[in-house]
Amino acid sequence: MKDIDKNTIIDLTIKEIDEYGYKNISLRNISSKLDITTGSFYKRFINKDDLFFNVGIVLSRRVYLKIYKQIDHYKENPKEALLNLGINIIKLFNNQKNLMEFLFFNPNILGAYSDENIEKNFKLLNITKEIISMCIDKEKVNDTFVQLWSFIQGYGYLISNNVCEIDLLIIKDALNKLVGSDKNE
């Protein structure tokens, strides 16, 4: 048996989620593939929920870094950045269904989205709120964030389940309805 660190377990769990979906993850299977005992696993994580919480943080950070490259100009054109953010998340739903389902719909990591954790661990949510605040009145930011995030999740879920295909006009129209259209559009 080997001595494995937390990051190795997290990385394998992400690969397993990507391939099989989070509902099919077994701690026994993860431990076996890493050639560690379940006892060794429990020295690093309290339980499966703790593992999923940590996987959620790592996966969210990876998604943020991937998307940030597409929106790093957000202060120059926040509405375009919001559009690119939505498009990129929806494309991830299309291309990495299991990982996005884990990140967005896994009930085991809902506690990770509490206010104290969002600030520290979920930069994608923070930057989304920041960009929205650059587009609309400050008192509407939270409501608009919930509406926009709900649209992205719902539309991404429909696409990942082959109910419809990505249509950039739908995304742009939804964004315009939520934050207003530019004067010259």
Side-chain angles (χ1 to χ4, degrees), residues 21-82:
Y22 74 92
K23 293 175 185 173
N24 298 313
I25 297 300
S26 152
L27 297 184
R28 184 170 285 132
N29 188 32
I30 297 278
S31 298
S32 174
K33 285 188 176 189
L34 291 172
D35 194 28
I36 61 172
T37 64
T38 52
S40 183
F41 169 87
Y42 286 113
K43 288 180 183 174
R44 286 149 187 85
F45 298 98
I46 298 167
N47 54 29
K48 190 175 183 178
D49 289 348
D50 185 34
L51 170 63
F52 278 4
F53 179 88
N54 283 279
V55 167
I57 290 169
V58 170
L59 189 55
S60 177
R61 192 173 300 129
R62 289 179 185 176
V63 168
Y64 168 79
L65 291 172
K66 186 180 284 188
I67 290 175
Y68 188 78
K69 292 174 187 175
Q70 306 298 317
I71 63 167
D72 64 348
H73 65 283
Y74 70 94
K75 291 183 180 176
E76 298 163 21
N77 191 336
K79 188 157 176 220
E80 181 183 316
L82 270 181

Side-chain angles (χ1 to χ4, degrees), residues 67 71 81-91 148 152 171:
I67 290 175
I71 63 167
L82 270 181
L83 180 62
N84 285 330
L85 182 141
I87 289 168
N88 281 283
I89 292 174
I90 289 167
K91 283 182 178 179
L148 180 64
I152 290 169
I171 300 169

Side-chain angles (χ1 to χ4, degrees), residues 128-145:
T128 303
K129 284 185 177 182
E130 182 182 345
I131 296 169
I132 290 170
S133 73
M134 298 169 83
C135 298
I136 63 169
D137 296 332
K138 302 289 184 232
E139 64 272 0
K140 295 179 181 177
V141 170
N142 284 333
D143 288 347
T144 303
F145 168 77

Side-chain angles (χ1 to χ4, degrees), residues 2 13-14 16 20 24 31 36 41 47 60 70 73 77 86 92-93 105 108 119 140 142-143 160 166-168 179:
K2 302 187 231 178
T13 303
I14 289 171
E16 293 289 300
Y20 304 109
N24 298 313
S31 298
I36 61 172
F41 169 87
N47 54 29
S60 177
Q70 306 298 317
H73 65 283
N77 191 336
L92 286 173
F93 267 102
F105 301 111
N108 296 4
E119 192 67 36
K140 295 179 181 177
N142 284 333
D143 288 347
S160 70
I166 296 174
D167 184 335
L168 299 181
V179 300

